């Protein structure tokens, strides 16, 4: 930013500091007839001239409140609001201290005929378990997205990938008018919908389908955001079209169309680009930036995901085209339906370099690998949720999903293994080509019947998941060992694979009330998973010139079944302040396998008792303490069980172990949450402990030629601990400036155990990652976002003479966005990263800088923009990782510098009556 511009903003800021005065207004909010305090009533101040929100607060348990702020205004309108009561407005002359005494509020018995309460913009309302924000109360720049207004809300954090947390708890879904918007991925809605059409932002604990139907509170592990559309925007359409073209033939095209008709919604999104972007974002600053989050989650190197749907290979640079459509409609107490369809094509390429130090009980060796990958995929995915209320006590839900995918890939891999003196011991050159076709159909039918008004119910669920996979691959490999007894092994094989997986399940639950808000749950679950596989491996025959030599050792024709039966007994309490749940599951597992080709079989049965528990205690209106404990059974995969050699890596032959048993993973999670609405300060802390009993772990043998053979066994002693805390503070002064500050230190500790050459190898890794960030916004003209994070890694091994591996990585970020002069948007996103201790030949640090300059015209309906991506051409994809028997450095292909010019067009049309935002009452 030029010096003149900096000095201008500094002078403006200082002049405001001189003119403004601090004030505090105190009082007690009471119910008029009973004189009982009204906890969680909203008190807020607005300017007289344009109703700009100055500050707000929430009353405490005893009804007391203290409204603090700083403004240059002499008088304000002071509002008192409580759900179900008549609102009160007072004109207040501001002083440094004002005590209003008792404010009596009257219950809103019924509205007068012909009178409606309109235009009252209560910034925040607490309704039982719902926190509701008025979107218009939080000033943003013109044409802001939902994500932009979320960043303004107290207690809400949005990171650079679009991940949303509310007081430390992750948002798992974002609904629009109570309905799913394309998928469960929150960012599809938050990055594509404009803030101007949003009325309320409602935040609740995420609920299961059962909790929704019974009206119970959610368990509080994650949050759900519901966006309600303004009445005058809920009948019409909005659209966005964008196109960009740049250097190196980089391009992006994307479009969005939403049609609203009350509870009915039709949405279409589409995009095409070669900059690793989904094309679903319409941020006027960085929407043409590759790998920027773009409305969905991205792999570090490429492909993207929408909820549980993935597109592309997640490697290197991806060219993609996609189109999706979504339909939603509902009628209260009758039905709710939504469905979506996506088509996506992607083409990816990626070059990787991996340097790995392999740890042995009596030494070490090194492998250097380079790979070249190209692949393409076609994906078709559709799904729906159909929910019908037959009557107020009986609900039927149907959730079908269908997908069809085709992929083609080519992978070339070169690996050289060397000893500590740098002498080459072996090498391998391999080329693999693969084509595959997959289809999947799944469905879930749920019947839910309430048996009385006390909480007694019965629920019955049927499910199926049917998968069909056909693939054909060609594998060419030359493995060479050096030295006195040099050898060369050549593989030229063709493999056909036919896999059918059919899963069927049924679940029954009955709830019996024991007392008020205390229930006993009886359950039974049945799952039948059948896996049929026909794998044929054919070696190249020189005589015939084709793949005619059947390799019986590496081929298989088998049938594998996994049947689980689980009776359960649970106790649940749904008190206002204290909620708990405890469930005991007795799981019977039967594993059967028969290989018709190898003439081998096994039949195993297991019994496990698994416990799940949760408790949530509300200490006050803003404080809560939560505890979760869970156990889950992890059954070995078929590849881990099948004793058939996998030679896809000739330097490491993998053979399964049919004697493996299921592992039991246990997790304990503790969370403390506190947000002070008066001080705008938030604090949360969490601690998670995970233990893995009988984890399926690799057992590796390495010979003198550094050729490895790996199998699996159940190993105890693996565990990890993670924890952290967060402190946030928001300072808002009128509509002049807002400052948000955050401090978030995290840590993780993990112990990994494996066996190499008969010796037990243990790696204990500690990672500490403190992060500090801040956001300063001045009059929606300039926004500054500095951030710094450091990660300290320390890995210790149990072998004598093996040094600890310590490395530090730094990350410094600085974002600036200016909206001055009017209709000019200038954005800079600068990030410096440093990766300590990566090996020679790997990039350690980079300064990554994106810049955007845009102009809005034609009443902000058109935005023209010039973007510079990776301005300094320093973008890297380098990282170091450690395990129980290795230290590895990685570097992969990344998108680098390009310049792009783009244009975005908006076309909106809405019907309905507009209301005067400044009036308290409107009379017909």
């Amino acid at each position: 930013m030029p010096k003149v511009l900096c000095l201008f903003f500094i002078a403006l800021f200082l002049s405001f500091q001189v003119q403004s005065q601090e004030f505090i207004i105190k009082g007690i909010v009471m119910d008029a007839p009973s004189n009982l305090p009204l906890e969680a009533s909203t008190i807020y101040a607005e300017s007289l001239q344009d109703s700009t929100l100055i500050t707000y607060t929430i009353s405490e348990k005893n009804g007391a409140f203290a409204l603090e702020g700083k403004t240059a205004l002499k008088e304000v309108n002071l509002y008192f609001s409580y759900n179900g009561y008549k609102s009160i407005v007072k004109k207040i002359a501001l002083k440094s201290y004002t005590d209003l005494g008792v404010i009596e509020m009257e219950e809103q018995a019924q509205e007068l005929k012909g009178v409606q309460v309109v235009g009252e913009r209560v910034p925040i309302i607490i309704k039982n378990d719902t926190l509701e924000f008025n979107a218009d109360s939080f000033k943003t720049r013109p044409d802001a997205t939902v994500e932009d207004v979320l960043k303004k809300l107290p207690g809400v954090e949005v990171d650079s990938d679009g991940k949303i947390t509310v007081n430390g708890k992750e948002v798992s879904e974002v609904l629009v008018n109570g309905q799913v918007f394309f998928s469960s991925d929150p960012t599809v809605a938050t990055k594509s919908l404009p803030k101007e059409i949003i009325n309320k932002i409602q935040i609740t604990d995420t609920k299961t389908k059962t909790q929704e139907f019974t009206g119970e509170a959610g368990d509080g592990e994650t949050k759900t955001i519901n966006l309600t559309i303004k009445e005058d925007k809920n009948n019409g359409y909005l659209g966005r079209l964008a196109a960009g073209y740049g250097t190196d033939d980089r391009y992006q095209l994307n479009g969005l169309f939403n049609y609203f008709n009350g509870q009915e919604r039709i949405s279409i999104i589409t995009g095409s680009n070669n900059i690793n972007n989904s094309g679903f974002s319409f941020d006027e600053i960085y929407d043409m930036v590759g790998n920027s989050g773009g409305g969905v989650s991205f792999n570090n190197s490429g492909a993207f995901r929408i909820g549980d749907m993935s597109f592309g290979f997640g490697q290197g640079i991806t060219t993609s085209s996609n189109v999706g459509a979504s339909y939603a409609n509902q009628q209260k107490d009758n039905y709710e339906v939504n469905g979506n369809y996506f088509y996506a094509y992607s083409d990816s390429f990626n070059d990787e370099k991996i340097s790995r130090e392999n740890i042995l009980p009596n030494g070490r060796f090194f492998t250097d690998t380079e790979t070249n990958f190209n692949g393409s995929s076609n994906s078709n995915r559709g799904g729906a949720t159909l929910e019908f209320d037959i009557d107020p006590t009986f609900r039927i839900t149907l959730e079908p999903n269908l997908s069809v995918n085709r992929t083609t890939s080519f992978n070339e891999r070169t690996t050289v293994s060397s000893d500590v003196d740098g002498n080459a011991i072996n090498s391998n050159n391999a080329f693999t080509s693969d084509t595959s076709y997959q289809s999947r159909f799944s469905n879930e039918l749920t019947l839910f019947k309430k048996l009385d008004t006390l909480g007694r119910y019965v629920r019955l669920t049927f499910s199926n998941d049917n998968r069909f996979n056909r693939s054909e691959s060609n594998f060419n490999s030359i493995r060479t060992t050096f030295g006195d007894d040099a050898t060369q092994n050549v593989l030229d094989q063709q493999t056909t694979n036919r896999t059918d997986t059919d899963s069927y399940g049924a679940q029954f639950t009955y709830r019996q009330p024991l007392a008020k808000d205390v229930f006993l749950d009886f359950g039974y679950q049945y799952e039948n998973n059948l896996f049929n596989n026909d794998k044929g491996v054919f070696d190249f025959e020189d005589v015939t010139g084709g793949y005619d030599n059947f390799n019986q050792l590496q081929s298989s024709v088998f049938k594998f079944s996994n049947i689980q039966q689980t009776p359960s007994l649970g106790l649940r309490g749904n008190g206002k302040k204290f909620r708990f749940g405890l469930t005991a599951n007795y799981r019977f597992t039967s594993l059967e396998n028969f290989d018709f080709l190898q003439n081998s079989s096994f039949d195993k049965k297991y019994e496990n008792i698994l416990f799940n528990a949760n408790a949530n205690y509300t200490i006050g209106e803003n404080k809560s303490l939560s505890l979760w404990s869970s156990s889950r059974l992890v059954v070995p995969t078929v590849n881990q069980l099948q004793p058939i050699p996998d030679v896809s890596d000739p330097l490491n032959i993998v053979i399964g172990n049919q004697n493996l048993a299921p592992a039991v993973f246990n997790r304990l999670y503790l969370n403390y949450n506190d947000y002070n609405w008066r001080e705008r300060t938030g604090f949360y802390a969490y601690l998670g402990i995970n233990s893995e009993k009988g984890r399926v772990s690799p057992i590796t043998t390495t010979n003198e030629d550094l050729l490895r053979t790996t199998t699996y066994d159940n190993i105890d002693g693996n565990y990890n601990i993670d924890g952290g805390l967060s402190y946030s503070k928001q300072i808002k002064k009128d509509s002049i400036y807002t400052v948000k500050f955050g401090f978030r230190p995290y840590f993780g500790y993990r112990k990994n155990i494996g066996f190499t050459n008969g010796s037990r190898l243990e790696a204990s890794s500690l990672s500490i990652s403190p992060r500090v960030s801040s956001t300063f916004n001045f009059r929606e003209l300039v926004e500054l976002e500095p951030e710094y994070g450091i990660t300290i890694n320390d890995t210790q091994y149990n072998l004598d003479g093996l040094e600890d591996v310590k490395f530090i990585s730094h990350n410094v970020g600085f974002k600036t966005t200016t909206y001055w002069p009017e209709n000019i948007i200038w954005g800079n996103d600068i990030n410096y990263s440093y990766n300590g201790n990566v090996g020679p030949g790997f990039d350690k640090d980079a300064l990554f800088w994106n810049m955007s300059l845009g102009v809005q015209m034609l009443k902000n309906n058109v935005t023209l923009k010039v973007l510079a991506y990776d301005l300094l051409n320093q973008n890297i994809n380098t990282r170091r990782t450690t395990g129980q028997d290795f230290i590895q450095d990685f570097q992969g292909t990344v998108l680098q510098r390009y310049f792009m010019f783009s244009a975005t067009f908006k076309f909106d049309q809405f019907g309905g009556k507009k209301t005067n935002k400044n009036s308290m009452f409107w009379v017909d």
Side-chain angles (χ1 to χ4, degrees):
M1 184 182 295
K3 287 185 178 181
V4 175
L5 194 59
C6 287
L7 293 173
F8 170 77
F9 284 123
I10 292 172
L12 201 59
F13 176 74
L14 291 176
S15 66
F16 168 76
Q17 292 291 93
V18 173
Q19 298 172 11
S20 62
Q21 62 170 332
E22 293 184 352
F23 66 89
I24 181 170
I25 302 172
K26 289 188 174 183
I28 301 176
V29 184
M30 309 283 283
D31 174 75
S34 66
N35 286 329
L36 293 176
L38 295 179
E39 182 184 7
S41 56
T42 306
I43 302 94
Y44 61 102
E46 290 185 350
S47 65
L48 302 180
Q49 183 178 359
D50 57 5
S51 298
T52 298
L53 179 67
I54 298 171
T55 186
Y56 65 91
T57 191
I58 302 293
S59 63
E60 299 177 0
K61 188 174 182 179
N62 61 359
F65 70 89
L67 184 68
E68 296 182 78
K70 189 173 185 178
T71 180
L73 299 175
K74 302 301 182 182
E75 290 183 319
V76 297
N77 280 331
L78 187 64
Y79 293 83
F80 300 85
S81 178
Y82 189 79
N83 191 35
Y85 282 70
K86 296 179 183 178
S87 296
I88 298 174
V89 59
K90 292 176 175 288
K91 182 187 286 188
I92 299 292
L94 292 180
K95 303 176 184 177
S96 59
Y97 177 82
T98 303
D99 191 343
L100 299 180
V102 175
I103 305 297
E104 294 185 338
M105 300 190 68
E106 296 181 0
E107 193 170 354
Q108 185 80 49
Q110 64 180 32
E111 294 180 350
L112 298 175
K113 184 177 180 179
V115 177
Q116 287 181 288
V117 179
V118 297
E120 187 184 353
R121 305 190 307 177
V122 184
I124 179 173
I125 299 175
I126 299 177
K127 298 178 180 178
N128 299 324
D129 60 346
T130 300
L131 185 63
E132 182 177 279
F133 295 97
N134 186 310
D136 285 339
S137 295
F138 297 88
K139 186 177 179 182
T140 57
R141 68 178 189 267
D143 218 30
T145 64
V146 170
E147 182 178 275
D148 295 318
V149 72
L150 289 178
K151 293 178 179 180
K152 305 290 184 181
L153 303 184
V156 178
E157 299 290 336
V158 183
D159 68 12
S160 57
D161 295 323
K163 177 183 174 182
I164 310 166
T165 56
V166 179
N167 298 340
K169 296 182 179 181
E170 184 176 354
V171 173
S172 59
E173 61 179 357
V174 173
L175 308 176
V176 178
N177 281 344
Q179 298 168 302
V180 173
F181 188 78
F182 276 103
S183 80
S184 60
D185 192 310
T187 57
V188 178
T190 60
K191 286 182 176 290
S192 63
L193 291 178
K195 178 240 183 182
E196 65 190 77
I197 70 170
I198 304 302
N199 181 24
K200 305 292 184 183
I201 301 171
Q202 300 166 337
I203 302 175
T204 62
D205 291 334
T206 301
K207 295 184 179 183
T208 63
K209 293 291 186 181
T210 298
Q211 290 167 340
E212 287 180 6
F213 192 47
T214 60
E216 298 177 40
D219 294 331
E221 191 167 2
T222 60
K223 294 288 187 179
T224 293
I225 292 178
N226 180 46
L227 307 172
T228 67
I229 306 298
K230 293 176 180 177
E231 287 189 16
D232 63 335
K233 305 290 186 183
N234 209 22
N235 185 5
Y237 62 83
L238 69 88
R240 303 288 185 269
L241 291 174
Y245 186 78
T247 58
D248 298 327
D249 290 326
R250 298 296 175 198
Y251 72 92
Q252 174 158 328
L253 304 168
N254 54 325
L256 167 73
F257 176 81
N258 281 289
Y259 169 75
F260 299 96
N261 183 17
Q263 296 298 327
E264 185 179 29
R265 175 183 52 80
I266 300 174
S267 301
I268 299 174
I269 52 178
T270 184
S272 179
N273 70 88
N274 60 359
I275 57 172
N276 290 0
N277 196 301
S278 70
F280 299 153
S281 173
F282 286 88
D283 186 288
E284 65 268 69
I285 309 171
Y286 296 113
D287 63 345
M288 298 289 175
V289 173
N291 202 17
S292 65
V296 291
S297 57
F298 276 83
N299 176 278
N300 233 359
S301 310
F304 57 92
R305 296 179 61 86
I306 305 172
D308 58 355
M309 299 180 291
S310 59
F311 301 94
F313 291 90
Q315 304 292 330
I317 298 176
T318 298
T319 299
S320 65
S321 298
N322 49 73
V323 61
S326 173
Y327 176 80
N329 199 358
Q330 65 178 345
Q331 187 178 97
K332 189 176 181 182
D333 300 326
N334 194 350
Y335 65 85
E336 180 178 334
V337 297
N338 68 75
N340 64 77
Y341 166 78
F342 275 99
Y343 167 78
Y345 170 81
S346 67
D347 194 348
S348 306
F349 73 89
N350 182 48
D351 296 334
E352 291 181 356
K353 180 171 67 173
I354 300 173
S355 181
R356 182 178 178 121
E357 179 180 342
N358 302 276
I359 300 170
L360 299 174
N362 56 353
R364 67 187 73 185
F365 70 97
F366 302 87
T367 55
D368 292 291
T369 302
E370 293 188 4
T371 65
N372 305 101
F373 172 87
N374 281 278
S376 62
S377 70
N378 277 282
S379 301
N380 294 269
R381 305 188 180 214
T385 299
L386 312 173
E387 192 172 274
F388 302 96
D389 289 338
I390 307 304
D391 60 47
T393 67
F394 187 30
R395 173 174 290 178
I396 299 177
T397 303
L398 191 66
E399 298 178 89
N401 291 278
L402 176 66
S403 65
V404 178
N405 306 303
R406 291 178 173 85
T407 62
T408 301
S409 64
F410 304 90
N411 194 9
E412 188 174 358
R413 182 184 183 96
T414 301
T415 302
V416 177
S417 302
S418 57
D419 59 21
V420 292
D421 297 321
N423 302 311
I425 305 299
N426 65 50
S427 69
N428 186 70
N429 296 296
F431 177 81
T432 306
S433 64
D434 183 88
T435 60
S436 66
Y437 170 85
Q438 308 99 26
S439 66
R440 178 182 181 183
F441 173 71
S442 63
N443 189 31
E444 186 173 280
L445 171 66
T446 301
L447 308 175
F448 197 108
K449 176 67 176 177
K450 297 178 184 178
L451 301 177
D452 56 27
T453 60
L454 301 177
R456 193 159 56 104
Y457 68 77
V458 60
R459 185 187 64 194
L460 188 60
T461 301
F462 301 95
S463 62
N464 68 277
D465 189 349
N466 307 100
R467 309 187 190 196
F468 177 91
N469 191 338
R470 300 292 183 266
S471 66
E472 181 177 300
S473 63
N474 287 78
F475 180 66
N476 305 87
S477 167
I478 301 177
R479 186 185 72 186
T480 305
T481 61
F482 305 105
D484 296 335
D485 298 321
T487 64
Q488 189 173 79
N489 178 267
V490 178
L491 286 177
D492 189 356
Q493 297 178 328
Q494 185 178 84
T495 301
T496 60
N497 206 326
R498 298 167 55 91
T499 304
D500 297 325
T501 305
D502 297 293
S503 302
Y504 299 93
Q507 185 175 7
F508 170 80
T509 304
Y510 170 76
R511 171 167 290 184
Q512 175 64 43
L514 298 180
K516 183 181 179 181
D517 298 326
V518 180
F519 308 94
L520 193 64
D521 292 340
F522 300 90
Y524 174 78
Q525 185 174 3
Y526 173 83
E527 294 180 72
N528 187 335
N529 304 289
L530 184 62
F531 189 93
N532 288 285
N533 177 260
D534 185 347
K535 178 183 178 183
V537 179
F538 299 85
D539 293 316
F540 185 80
E541 181 63 58
D542 292 329
V543 176
T544 63
Y547 294 95
D548 301 317
N549 187 9
F550 181 65
N551 190 323
Q552 183 171 340
L553 179 63
Q554 297 177 25
S555 302
S556 63
V557 179
F558 66 85
K559 179 182 290 186
F560 173 77
S561 70
N562 171 14
I563 299 176
Q564 295 185 346
Q565 301 183 67
T566 311
S568 62
L569 181 65
L571 183 66
R572 186 176 183 89
N574 293 326
K576 185 176 181 181
K577 293 183 68 69
F578 179 66
R579 303 193 306 273
F580 71 91
L582 175 64
T583 304
N585 303 278
Y586 198 101
R587 180 159 298 173
F588 300 88
T589 303
S590 175
L591 303 180
E592 295 183 9
N593 184 77
F594 185 80
D595 193 316
F596 301 92
L597 189 61
Q598 304 294 339
N599 196 26
S600 64
S601 65
F602 61 81
D603 183 355
K604 299 179 181 297
K605 291 178 170 47
Y606 306 94
E607 297 181 14
N608 300 89
I609 299 178
L610 306 173
F611 291 97
N612 294 310
N614 66 277
N616 182 279
Y617 179 66
T618 302
I619 302 172
E621 187 65 39
N622 311 315
K623 302 178 184 178
S624 64
L625 183 65
S626 302
L627 174 70
W628 291 273
S629 176
S630 63
S631 300
R632 61 186 179 96
L633 197 67
V634 181
V635 177
T637 66
V638 175
N639 292 335
Q640 292 171 336
L641 289 167
Q642 281 288 100
I644 298 173
D646 178 0
V647 298
S648 57
D649 180 0
L651 301 181
N652 182 22
I653 309 300
V654 179
I655 304 175
N657 176 11
Q658 63 183 13
N659 295 315
L660 292 174
V664 177
F665 286 13
N666 298 295
R667 177 167 174 78
L668 180 67
Y669 182 80
L670 181 67
N671 172 270
Y672 172 76
N673 194 286
D674 179 14
Y675 194 87
N676 187 319
W677 299 105
R678 176 185 170 186
E679 301 291 339
R680 308 287 197 278
T681 57
F683 175 82
Y684 73 86
Y686 74 91
L687 178 68
I689 302 174
N690 302 274
S691 65
E692 303 169 356
K693 182 179 180 181
R695 176 187 174 188
V696 176
S697 301
I699 309 296
T700 301
T701 301
T702 305
N703 65 18
E704 64 275 7
D705 291 323
L706 304 183
L707 301 179
R708 288 168 289 166
T709 302
T710 298
T711 186
Y712 302 96
D713 205 351
N714 294 106
I715 304 296
D716 292 333
N718 291 279
Y719 67 90
N720 66 80
I721 303 172
D722 58 287
L725 57 88
S726 173
Y727 173 81
S728 62
K729 173 72 174 178
Q730 184 185 63
I731 302 172
K732 184 178 186 300
K733 303 302 180 186
D734 279 356
S735 58
I736 306 298
Y737 71 87
T738 302
V739 179
K740 293 182 74 172
F741 169 81
F743 175 62
R744 300 171 185 83
Y746 302 107
F747 81 92
Y749 178 82
R750 183 173 184 86
K751 187 173 185 179
N752 287 325
I753 300 174
F755 282 82
T756 296
N757 289 354
S759 296
R760 181 183 176 101
L761 297 185
E762 298 181 3
S764 300
S765 301
L766 175 65
S767 175
I768 301 175
S769 304
R771 172 176 167 263
V772 61
S773 63
S774 181
T775 300
F776 172 78
N777 185 289
F778 184 79
R779 287 189 179 273
E780 299 301 328
L781 295 176
V782 61
E783 186 165 85
L784 309 177
E785 300 177 73
E787 179 181 350
Y788 172 71
I790 181 173
T791 300
I792 304 169
N793 292 278
D794 185 359
T795 301
Q796 300 180 356
Y797 298 91
N798 66 324
L799 298 179
D800 294 334
L802 188 61
E803 296 181 358
D804 297 348
V805 177
K806 300 180 180 180
F807 57 94
I808 297 176
S809 61
H810 300 267
N811 193 280
V812 182
F814 187 59
K815 269 186 169 184
T816 68
T817 311
T818 61
Y819 306 91
W820 183 90
E822 187 178 1
N823 297 325
I824 301 295
I825 305 171
W826 181 30
N828 290 271
D829 186 357
I830 305 171
N831 188 280
Y832 174 77
S833 59
Y834 174 84
N835 298 298
N837 280 13
V838 293
F842 290 82
D843 297 322
K844 288 189 175 184
D845 66 337
L847 184 62
F848 183 52
W849 185 357
N850 297 329
M851 181 185 294
S852 170
L853 180 63
V855 56
Q856 294 178 321
M857 57 183 60
L858 300 179
K859 297 182 179 180
N860 293 335
N861 288 320
V862 176
T863 300
L864 303 179
K865 181 175 57 181
V866 176
L867 169 75
Y869 177 86
D870 188 20
L871 188 61
L872 303 180
N873 205 30
Q874 293 189 19
N875 191 19
I876 61 173
N877 181 20
T878 303
R879 59 182 179 270
R880 165 164 284 199
T881 55
T882 60
Q884 72 269 10
D885 60 355
F886 70 88
I887 304 166
Q888 178 174 290
D889 294 327
F890 168 91
Q891 186 167 298
T893 299
V894 291
L895 193 65
Q896 292 189 307
R897 181 169 60 194
Y898 65 86
F899 300 88
M900 181 176 287
F901 173 80
S902 67
T904 301
F905 306 90
K906 305 175 185 179
F907 51 97
D908 301 345
Q909 180 174 316
F910 299 101
K913 181 180 293 186
K914 296 184 178 180
T915 59
N916 185 349
K917 295 181 179 180
N918 293 327
S919 62
M920 285 289 291
F921 292 93
W922 173 64
V923 183
D924 286 333

